[in-house]
Each structure stands twice: as C-alpha cells, then as structure tokens.
Amino acid sequence: MNATSTGALLLCRADPETVRPLAHLLREQMLLTRAGGEWSALVPEGKPWRGTGPDGGDPEPVDRVLGGWATALAVGSTWPVLALWWDGDRAGYTLAAGFRRTVGYIWLADGTPVGEDEAMRTFAARLGLDPVLDLQALEELTRPDPESDAEARLRGLLAVLTRTGLTLAPGLGPGESADRLRSVAGVQRGAERIEWAGWRDAVRVELDAVEAGSLGPWVRGPRARAIAAAQLAAGLPLLLWGVRRRSGGWAAAGAVLLAQGALGLAYHRAREAAERS
C-alpha cells in the first residue's frame, strides 16, 4: 500500500433499512449498500482525515475518525459495527458493539502485527464466530508472516467474516483508495446516498423506519387508528366511573387510556400533515 491508498469502510451487521436511520445521524455524506444477507456497508464520500481537523489544527487520523463513527452507530443500535481502515503506514479495524469498550487491532504496512492477541478473541466472541476454527484463523493474523502485508491481513479478516454472510463487491475492500471505494459503492444495486438534512428530516427518517418495521401496523394505519379509538371509548367512561366512585386507581387508568388514544390519533394526523408538506 502507498500514501495514496488511504481508505475506510464501515460494516454494519444489519440490513440497509435498519442501518439507514442511524447513519443519517452521523451527519456525514456516505453511500449505503448491501454487503450480504446480514450486512451493510457504509462508504464515506468525504475524507475528514485530510485537510483541517475539527479544532482547526491537524486532521484526525483515519483510524480515529472511523472508530468514532463506529462507536456512534453501535451505541444507538443492537447490532455490531466494524470499522476497517488503511493508509500508507498502517491498517486495522475497530469493532464497536453497544456500550461495551471497543476492540481493535493494527498491522504495520508490511504486515507486522502490533495489536494484542486478546483483541482477536474478543472480536470472535462479540461476532459469535466459531471459537475453534474461526478463532484459529484470526490468531494466524497476529503471528509474523513476511509474505503478508497489511492489506493481506485485512483480507484474511474479511475471509473469516464471509462465514457470517458478509459479501463485498470486487473493488470494495482493503487497499483501495477512498475515491475507488466511493465509485464502486455508487454503482452497486440498491446503493443510496446518506446525507444530513437537519434534525427534522432525521426524525422523519427514524419514524419512517419504525413504521416500515414490525411495529408499523401498531403505530400507524387502520389498526393503529382502531386501537386509538378503542382507547378513547374505554378511557372516558372509566375515568368518569373512577371519579364518581372516588377511586384514584380507576380514574388514573381511564386518564392513561384517554391520553394514549388521543396521542395515537394526533400522531396519525401529524404524520399525514408532514407528508403533505
């Protein structure tokens, strides 16, 4: 690898529909594409590791930028995020999963391992890999091998992950430049551009994702409206009955049903108004 081959990938163990809402919240322009049955890939369109850093000084190194993105995505999700990065001097990965401490490994450009062996064991455990065969293949990547440079080490890591369903298109992998990664991702079937459009649109995207999921029929639509109407119909007489009997518990139950029903109908109307605007 050389100085012009700096590149980065975010691999999320979830489908694009699940990844999309959280990816918007990174406030970065990216390309989102499927990477197998259970995986999605996010390819940065910009190069924040070049130019000026966030404080006006030197830019952050690519591994720190990718690690921050992976952590932000993982904290708000139930699926792990794997950040892969490489430049002229090093290559490596960072795995983020929920609120747990991130784990990572680094190789020098010539393939010399400089990480801790424990990182590979933690990596295998958090991704649910085979504790014998897969872990053995991963541990091989931590041993000296004059025939394997950093690019080959990352390819070996990805080869293990193919057993989990990960599939990357040719040209979308270690050693490629950021420009090459972007161009390859952009021509993949179903690829879409992720870009920040403000908090209002981010919330709208999140609600769209909820409605498109398994909870959708209970949040919006005929079934949701029927439930809200039933809550109103049951809540009002229950509230009145509780007030007449001076029963705080029944009155509170009626009030909760009324509030839930009113919120359900209000949500439905607000979403319709937002779509018309």
Side-chain angles (χ1 to χ4, degrees):
M1 293 187 290
N2 54 57
T4 64
S5 64
T6 301
L9 282 172
L10 285 169
L11 302 177
C12 307
R13 199 169 187 179
D15 57 53
E17 291 74 19
T18 303
V19 173
R20 185 189 305 114
L22 285 176
H24 276 277
L25 300 180
L26 290 179
R27 304 177 70 173
E28 297 285 343
Q29 291 186 337
M30 296 191 177
L31 288 168
L32 172 63
T33 183
R34 188 173 293 277
E38 298 181 6
W39 290 83
S40 300
L42 283 166
V43 180
E45 288 201 274
K47 303 172 186 176
W49 49 85
R50 298 179 60 182
T52 303
D55 58 355
D58 293 334
E60 291 187 283
V62 62
D63 57 325
R64 189 176 303 170
V65 173
L66 266 289
W69 287 346
T71 300
L73 285 172
V75 164
S77 67
T78 58
W79 28 267
V81 182
L82 176 63
L84 300 180
W85 54 269
W86 52 91
D87 58 25
D89 300 317
R90 306 175 304 155
Y93 73 79
T94 299
L95 177 67
F99 287 93
R100 289 179 288 187
R101 182 177 61 86
T102 60
V103 61
Y105 202 91
I106 296 175
W107 295 272
L108 300 182
D110 62 1
T112 302
V114 293
E116 298 180 1
D117 292 348
E118 181 62 30
M120 286 298 188
R121 289 189 284 272
T122 304
F123 177 87
R126 290 186 183 175
L127 288 177
L129 301 178
D130 188 289
V132 178
L133 297 179
D134 290 342
L135 183 56
Q136 182 179 359
L138 291 173
E139 288 180 336
E140 286 293 328
L141 302 175
T142 67
R143 301 187 180 111
D145 183 355
E147 302 299 322
S148 296
D149 60 10
E151 180 182 337
R153 301 285 197 171
L154 282 183
R155 286 202 304 267
L157 184 82
L158 291 173
V160 175
L161 293 182
T162 58
R163 300 170 194 170
T164 69
L166 176 67
T167 304
L168 291 175
L172 199 63
E176 302 289 353
S177 68
D179 293 333
R180 169 67 173 164
L181 293 173
R182 184 174 63 249
S183 62
V184 171
V187 299
Q188 298 306 304
R189 183 177 180 180
E192 58 183 299
R193 178 169 280 103
I194 301 294
E195 55 186 340
W196 176 252
W199 284 108
R200 180 177 178 180
D201 284 344
V203 172
R204 181 178 295 180
V205 169
E206 178 69 28
L207 293 176
D208 286 341
V210 172
E211 291 176 4
S214 59
L215 294 177
W218 304 99
V219 174
R220 187 181 176 196
R223 186 181 299 176
R225 287 197 302 271
I227 292 174
Q231 288 172 327
L232 287 173
L236 181 58
L238 189 59
L239 174 61
L240 295 176
W241 187 84
V243 171
R244 285 199 302 268
R245 295 296 184 94
R246 296 183 180 179
S247 172
W250 287 110
V256 169
L257 284 172
L258 277 175
Q260 289 178 333
L263 285 173
L265 292 178
Y267 174 82
H268 188 274
R269 291 169 183 165
R271 290 290 280 156
E272 286 185 335
E275 289 178 353
R276 288 195 296 268
S277 62

